[in-house]
Amino acid sequence: MLERHFDAEEYESLNNNENDRDRGLRLMGRDKVGKKRVSTNARIYCTNGLISTKMQIHLILSLALAGTTEAKYWMEDIEHHGRSPYFPDLTYRVFRNVKEYGAMGDGVTDDTAAINAAISAGVRCAPGVCMGSTLSPATVYIPAGTYLISSAIIDLYYTQLVGDPNDRPVIKASASFSKESFSLIDANPYLPNGALAWNSTNTFFRQIRNLIIDTTALPPDHPVVGIHWPSSQASSITNCVFQLSQVLGNRHTGLLIEEGSGGLLNDLYFYGGGNATVLGNQQYTARNLRFQNADIAIWMTWNWGWTFKSAYFRDCRVGIKMDEASNGVGSITLLDSQFENVEVAISTSRSSNGALGAGGSLSLENVQFHGVVGVLVDRDGVDLLGNILTAGSNDVFIMGHLAYAGGLFDETGYFNVPTPRSGNLLDGDKYYERSKPQYEQATSEYFQSARVNGAAGDTTHDDTEALNNLFSYTAANNLVAFLDAGIYIVTDTIFIPPNARIVGEAQASIIMGTGPNFQDVTNPRPVVRVGNPGDVGQVEWSDTIVSTRGPAAGAILIEYNLFSPDVPSAMWDVHTRIGGFAGTALQVSECPAIKNANVVNTNCIAAYMSMHITTSAGGLFLENCWFWVADHDLEDQQYHRVAIFAGRGLLIEAQRGRIWLSATGSEHHVFYQYQLVNTVDVYIGHAQTEQAYFQPLPPALYPFPSEAFFHDPNFQMQCQNDSDPTCNMGWGMRILNSQNVVVYGAGLYSFFNHYNDTCANNKSPEYCQERILSIDGNAQGTKILGLSTVGARIMVQRNGVDWIASFPNNSTFADTLALYLP
C-alpha cells in the first residue's frame, strides 16, 4: 500500500478538475465538509444551473434576509404532494424524512430501525414478498448528520435514498455492526434460498445520492460492504463518499455489484478499502470515480462491456484488476482518466498472445500515467505497455480485436485514429460531462408544485392545460417546475419552452399521453415537445417518465427541437416507459405475449417513437435516460411477457450536432433502437439495446409502415435476398451519413427469437438475429470502442455489405471488438 495522503478537498480537485458540487462549495465559502455559512456577501452558485441575473438577485435577497441562519435544502423544506394513484391506501406518502420516523443523526443513537421504518412505511415491495412493482415508489430523505447503524439498511424496490447535498449525511457502521449483515446499505438482499430478493436484471428506477458511507469504526479484517447494488437500467449512485479502512490488508469494500444490466455511477469518491469496488454487470457507465489509497480500486469480476470516463486513481496498489480466475471480463473502455503513484495501473486477464480470443478487451483513450510502476500487467507479470507508454494525440490503445478497412486483427498496442476528437464535443481536452443539478442554493420558494398549480396527477383528470401553464409560467419567471409524484394524463401535446427547469419526484412523475390525438399513425404527434423549431435557449429536465395509455400508434413521446449554442441543455433520468405498468391499459391482461401466431393486437400499438431529436436541435446532453418498451409486466409477480408495439427508439437528426448520450439505453422498439441520420458531433458512451422479444413473429415489417420522411429501414428491400426470418428484425443501431459519431462502449443485444432465448448462447449453432449494427454513407471521424453484441450473426454491416461476423470475435457471452473504424 502506498502511503501518500491527501485531504478530501485536494483530492476532489485532482488535476484542476473539481467536480461541480465542490467548485460550488469553494465559491460559496463553505468548509471542507460542506457546512453552509450563509451570509449577505455569499456568492450565488447553482450546480450546473442556468440561473439568470434576475433569479440571482432574488436569491441574494433571500440569503440576506436569512442572515447567518442555517437554510434547509429545498427538498426538505417544500410541501410534498406526491401520490401513487394506484396504491390502495390514498394516504400513502411518497416522500418521507427519516427524522420523522425517529432518526436522530447525532452520531450516538442507533438509527437503524428508524431509517428502515422510513423506507418501509406503507405496504411496499419488500424482499421475499414482492418481485417488483411501480405502485409504492418512495423518496427517503436523509438530512445532514451522522447516522449510526448496527445492521443493514434495507433499500426496497423503487426507492430513492437522497441526502442533503449541501452537507452530505454520514451513514456510519457502529463498532458493534452485525456480522450477519451483508452491507451498510443493501439494495437487493440475499434470501435464505440464496437468491437475490429481486431479479437483478429487472431491478429498475432507483437512486442513491448525496451520502457518506463510513466503515472505519469496524476492524480492518471485518468483511464489510458499503453499498450492495445489483440492479439494472434507470438506476444510479451519485455524489457519494466511501470512507473505508486504510490499514494494509483490510477487507472493506465500498461498492459491490455482482449482477444486473446497466445503470450509472457518477461522482463517487473512495478512500481506502481492500477492494474499494467489486464490479460485475452486463454493462455500465461509470463517470468521475476517484480512488485514493485503496489496495485494489476496481476489481472487475465479469462484464460484457463497461465504460469508465474521468476515473482518477491515486496512491493505490492496483487501479483496475480484471478477474483472472473466471476470465469473465468481456470489455473495458477507459477514457479521459489518470493514474498517479499507482503500483499497477491495470492488471489484465489477457496475455500478449491473445489466447482468450476477444475476451478481456481493453480500449484506452486519453489516459495519463504518472508515477506508475506497471501500466498493463498480464497474468505472468509482464508489463505489456512498458515500452509503448507514450501515445500520439490521436492514438487509441487497444488490447483485443481491431477491425478497420485493412481487415480484422488481434492487437496489443497503440493505433492511430486518423481523425482527431471534435472540439465541439470537448471541455478542454476531455469530452464534456455534466452532473444532474440538485439546485442546492435555491430556496423552496423557487419551486412551483404541479399539484398546487392545478394539475391533479391522479390518472383521471386531464392535466394538459395545467402542465402547459406551469411550464410556461416557471420558464418565464426563472422558477423550477416541480412535478410531484403522480400520473398526469394529457390529451394533447405538452410544450416545454426554452429556459424551463423541470424536476420530478421519486422517478414516479409520469406524463401519460392518451386519446385520439395520439392514435393516428399517419399523423404522429408529440406527447411532450421541447422547444419549437428555431427556438434557442437552454432547458434542464430531470427525473420524469413519459408514457402512453392504451392505443397510441401516432405518439412521439418526446420531440426535441431546441438549439443550445453555448451551454448545452440537458436531461437526466428522463425515461420513456411504454406499457407494462399500472395505468397504461397495456399490461399482461390486455397485451399478453402472443406465441406461434403472426398477430398484432391493435390496442397494443402504443407509440410511434420514443424520442426524436430533430434537424433544428443541437447542444443536448442526456444522461441515464432509458427508452423502454415493456417486455414484461412490472406489476406481475411472475414477470409474464407482454407484446407491445412501438415503432422507433431514439432518432437523432440534429444537423448542428453537439449531442452527448451518457449511460443511455433503448429497448424493444420495432424498427430500431438508435438511429442517427445526417448529424454530426455525437458522443455515445455507454449505449445498450435489446430487440423486440416477439420478433421475427411478427417481423419488423409490421405493424408500422416504413416512412421515408423519418429514414426508416426498408426491411422488404434489405431482406429481399435473405430468406432467413431473422433478417426482418429491428436494428440495434443505424448510423446514416453522419460524421464524428464517437462511441465509447455499446452493448447491442438480441436475446430472443420469438421468445426463445437458446439462440443467444454463443455455443448455439443458431443466431437470434442476422444483423444488429449498420453504418451507411459518409462516416468520417466515426469510431466505436468497446463494441459488444449478443445473438447476432453479423456484428457490423457497412454500406449494405456484411462486414464483420460475430464468430471470430467471441469473448465471453458476448462478441467483442476493442476498436472498429468504418
Side-chain angles (χ1 to χ4, degrees):
M1 180 77 70
L2 301 171
E3 292 299 331
R4 183 182 177 197
H5 295 281
F6 298 81
D7 65 27
E9 184 177 80
E10 179 186 6
Y11 185 59
E12 293 184 16
S13 300
L14 176 64
N15 198 32
N16 294 319
N17 193 10
E18 292 176 294
N19 75 348
D20 289 324
R21 176 187 179 275
D22 292 290
R23 187 182 301 114
L25 295 181
R26 176 170 53 77
L27 292 173
M28 284 298 293
R30 296 189 199 161
D31 60 29
K32 293 177 184 177
V33 296
K35 295 203 180 283
K36 187 180 293 185
R37 301 195 301 269
V38 179
S39 64
T40 56
N41 63 354
R43 178 174 177 180
I44 301 304
Y45 182 85
C46 179
T47 303
N48 287 320
L50 304 170
I51 294 183
S52 69
T53 300
K54 179 179 178 182
M55 188 171 182
Q56 288 186 22
I57 293 171
H58 282 315
L59 286 171
I60 290 171
L61 290 173
S62 176
L63 291 175
L65 290 173
T68 58
T69 61
E70 293 283 333
K72 290 183 178 180
Y73 178 48
W74 66 266
M75 187 181 289
E76 183 177 356
D77 206 29
I78 64 170
E79 293 185 3
H80 287 274
H81 305 280
R83 301 175 187 170
S84 181
Y86 289 97
F87 193 84
D89 183 357
L90 296 181
T91 65
Y92 177 82
R93 297 174 61 186
V94 172
F95 180 85
R96 54 282 301 274
N97 184 327
V98 298
K99 291 278 182 93
E100 296 174 1
Y101 292 81
M104 301 301 293
D106 57 9
V108 177
T109 305
D110 186 341
D111 286 323
T112 312
I115 296 174
N116 278 326
I119 294 172
S120 61
V123 181
R124 301 201 61 218
C125 189
V129 177
C130 165
M131 294 297 292
S133 174
T134 71
L135 300 184
S136 56
T139 292
V140 179
Y141 178 71
I142 307 175
T146 296
Y147 297 83
L148 203 64
I149 60 171
S150 57
S151 60
I153 302 302
I154 305 300
D155 183 22
L156 300 188
Y157 196 92
Y158 219 126
T159 300
Q160 326 305 315
L161 298 181
V162 181
D164 181 348
N166 291 314
D167 189 359
R168 286 176 288 202
V170 179
I171 306 297
K172 186 176 180 65
S174 68
S176 59
F177 189 80
S178 171
K179 292 185 178 180
E180 303 301 318
S181 289
F182 190 71
S183 57
L184 275 65
I185 297 177
D186 198 340
N188 202 342
Y190 280 95
L191 302 177
N193 64 3
L196 290 169
W198 304 291
N199 185 329
S200 62
T201 57
N202 292 332
T203 306
F204 313 128
F205 304 108
R206 51 188 5 206
Q207 300 175 0
I208 296 177
R209 47 189 162 114
N210 313 328
L211 299 180
I212 297 174
I213 307 298
D214 189 342
T215 66
T216 57
L218 295 175
D221 62 351
H222 187 124
V224 65
V225 171
I227 298 178
H228 178 222
W229 189 254
S231 55
S232 289
Q233 291 87 351
S235 65
S236 62
I237 304 178
T238 299
N239 191 33
C240 290
V241 174
F242 296 81
Q243 295 283 4
L244 312 170
S245 172
Q246 299 190 32
V247 175
L248 186 67
N250 77 81
R251 301 177 67 190
H252 291 202
T253 295
L255 176 63
L256 170 62
I257 304 174
E258 73 273 33
E259 292 186 23
S261 179
L264 172 69
L265 306 173
N266 70 291
D267 304 335
L268 305 183
Y269 309 93
F270 297 86
Y271 300 95
N275 299 304
T277 63
V278 179
L279 306 177
N281 195 284
Q282 291 177 10
Q283 72 287 318
Y284 235 97
T285 301
R287 181 178 64 73
N288 194 31
L289 271 58
R290 303 188 177 219
F291 301 89
Q292 179 179 326
N293 212 27
D295 185 52
I296 298 175
I298 297 172
W299 178 10
M300 182 65 67
T301 59
W302 74 277
N303 71 36
W304 300 343
W306 274 65
T307 296
F308 292 95
K309 183 184 185 304
S310 304
Y312 295 85
F313 305 83
R314 179 180 281 184
D315 299 341
C316 300
R317 186 177 67 85
V318 178
I320 300 174
K321 176 184 177 180
M322 298 187 192
D323 188 76
E324 297 176 359
S326 66
N327 291 327
V329 175
S331 174
I332 292 176
T333 301
L334 177 66
L335 68 152
D336 295 345
S337 297
Q338 180 174 312
F339 296 84
E340 181 177 344
N341 200 25
V342 173
E343 187 174 318
V344 174
I346 302 169
S347 173
T348 176
S349 55
R350 288 178 64 91
S351 58
S352 58
N353 63 16
L356 290 179
S361 290
L362 177 67
S363 305
L364 308 178
E365 184 177 295
N366 191 29
V367 178
Q368 307 298 317
F369 302 93
H370 303 290
V372 174
V373 178
V375 177
L376 180 64
V377 178
D378 71 8
R379 60 178 65 218
D380 299 319
V382 177
D383 187 355
L384 302 175
L385 251 175
N387 297 323
I388 47 175
L389 183 59
T390 303
S393 59
N394 297 335
D395 285 357
V396 175
F397 176 84
I398 56 173
M399 186 176 190
H401 286 192
L402 162 70
Y404 70 111
L408 176 66
F409 306 92
D410 190 296
E411 291 287 330
T412 298
Y414 281 104
F415 184 84
N416 184 261
V417 176
T419 305
R421 291 178 166 191
S422 170
N424 291 329
L425 293 171
L426 301 181
D427 180 8
D429 67 342
K430 299 178 175 62
Y431 284 110
Y432 178 83
E433 60 187 59
R434 183 168 163 198
S435 297
K436 179 164 63 178
Q438 302 195 60
Y439 305 108
E440 294 99 317
Q441 314 316 322
T443 55
S444 59
E445 65 183 296
Y446 293 98
F447 290 81
Q448 293 291 308
S449 158
R451 281 213 170 84
V452 170
N453 284 274
D458 61 1
T459 77
T460 58
H461 290 82
D462 185 347
D463 287 323
T464 308
E465 182 178 2
L467 290 186
N468 276 325
N469 289 341
L470 173 68
F471 296 155
S472 174
Y473 175 78
T474 52
N477 291 278
N478 295 300
L479 302 172
V480 180
F482 182 68
L483 275 180
D484 314 86
I487 298 179
Y488 298 86
I489 295 296
V490 299
T491 57
D492 207 344
T493 299
I494 298 301
F495 180 65
I496 297 177
N499 305 317
R501 299 174 196 82
I502 301 168
V503 176
E505 182 179 30
Q507 296 200 73
S509 303
I510 302 167
I511 299 173
M512 185 175 285
T514 192
N517 282 326
F518 303 118
Q519 292 176 351
D520 186 354
V521 73
T522 66
N523 184 27
R525 190 182 191 93
V527 176
V528 177
R529 173 183 285 132
V530 182
N532 288 314
D535 281 352
V536 177
Q538 287 84 28
V539 298
E540 292 180 343
W541 183 13
S542 63
D543 296 290
T544 307
I545 293 171
V546 183
S547 188
T548 57
R549 170 184 283 179
I556 298 174
L557 274 71
I558 303 173
E559 178 186 279
Y560 191 93
N561 300 294
L562 188 63
F563 178 58
S564 301
D566 299 316
V567 177
S569 293
M571 295 163 54
W572 301 267
D573 298 288
V574 176
H575 314 293
T576 61
R577 191 170 76 195
I578 302 170
F581 68 100
T584 59
L586 297 165
Q587 295 182 251
V588 70
S589 58
E590 295 92 4
C591 302
I594 301 172
K595 299 184 178 181
N596 303 315
N598 198 1
V599 175
V600 174
N601 181 347
T602 57
N603 289 325
C604 300
I605 305 177
Y608 191 88
M609 183 187 300
S610 269
M611 183 171 180
H612 185 194
I613 303 175
T614 68
T615 57
S616 67
L620 175 63
F621 179 89
L622 285 82
E623 187 160 68
N624 207 32
C625 297
W626 187 33
F627 308 104
W628 188 62
V629 184
D631 60 275
H632 67 281
D633 190 336
L634 292 172
E635 319 302 350
D636 185 83
Q637 298 306 294
Q638 278 74 48
Y639 301 134
H640 281 122
R641 300 290 182 202
V642 292
I644 296 169
F645 300 87
R648 303 148 185 88
L650 173 61
L651 172 60
I652 302 175
E653 294 187 283
Q655 293 183 355
R656 288 173 284 194
R658 295 181 69 239
I659 306 296
W660 295 264
L661 308 180
S662 173
T664 63
S666 182
E667 298 185 317
H668 313 141
H669 302 83
V670 171
F671 281 154
Y672 56 78
Q673 313 313 321
Y674 291 89
Q675 179 166 284
L676 289 72
V677 182
N678 299 325
T679 188
V680 65
D681 295 332
V682 179
Y683 167 93
I684 301 174
H686 184 286
Q688 178 260 330
T689 72
E690 291 181 13
Q691 106 289 2
Y693 292 179
F694 49 75
Q695 288 180 345
L697 191 64
L701 288 167
Y702 304 102
F704 296 92
S706 178
E707 296 290 348
F709 179 80
F710 288 109
H711 307 276
D712 289 339
N714 187 328
F715 289 99
Q716 187 170 9
M717 179 177 295
Q718 70 186 35
C719 296
Q720 61 184 349
N721 297 319
D722 190 337
S723 60
D724 193 316
T726 62
C727 173
N728 212 315
M729 298 176 68
W731 290 94
M733 183 178 290
R734 298 181 80 215
I735 302 174
L736 310 176
N737 296 310
S738 298
Q739 295 81 55
N740 291 331
V741 176
V742 293
V743 181
Y744 293 88
L748 312 181
Y749 309 145
S750 189
F751 291 131
F752 294 89
N753 187 305
H754 193 59
Y755 300 108
N756 186 327
D757 65 354
T758 58
C759 57
N761 190 316
N762 56 23
K763 302 295 189 290
S764 171
E766 307 292 331
Y767 292 95
C768 300
Q769 184 165 347
E770 279 286 276
R771 302 164 187 88
I772 204 160
L773 169 62
S774 171
I775 301 177
D776 295 311
N778 182 359
Q780 183 178 359
T782 292
K783 60 185 174 184
I784 302 176
L785 286 70
L787 171 65
S788 298
T789 67
V790 170
R793 185 177 68 87
I794 301 298
M795 296 179 72
V796 181
Q797 184 187 80
R798 179 75 169 109
N799 289 329
V801 177
D802 293 344
W803 208 70
I804 303 174
S806 61
F807 179 75
N809 300 297
N810 181 242
S811 59
T812 52
F813 189 80
D815 307 301
T816 301
L817 292 175
L819 174 64
Y820 167 63
L821 298 174

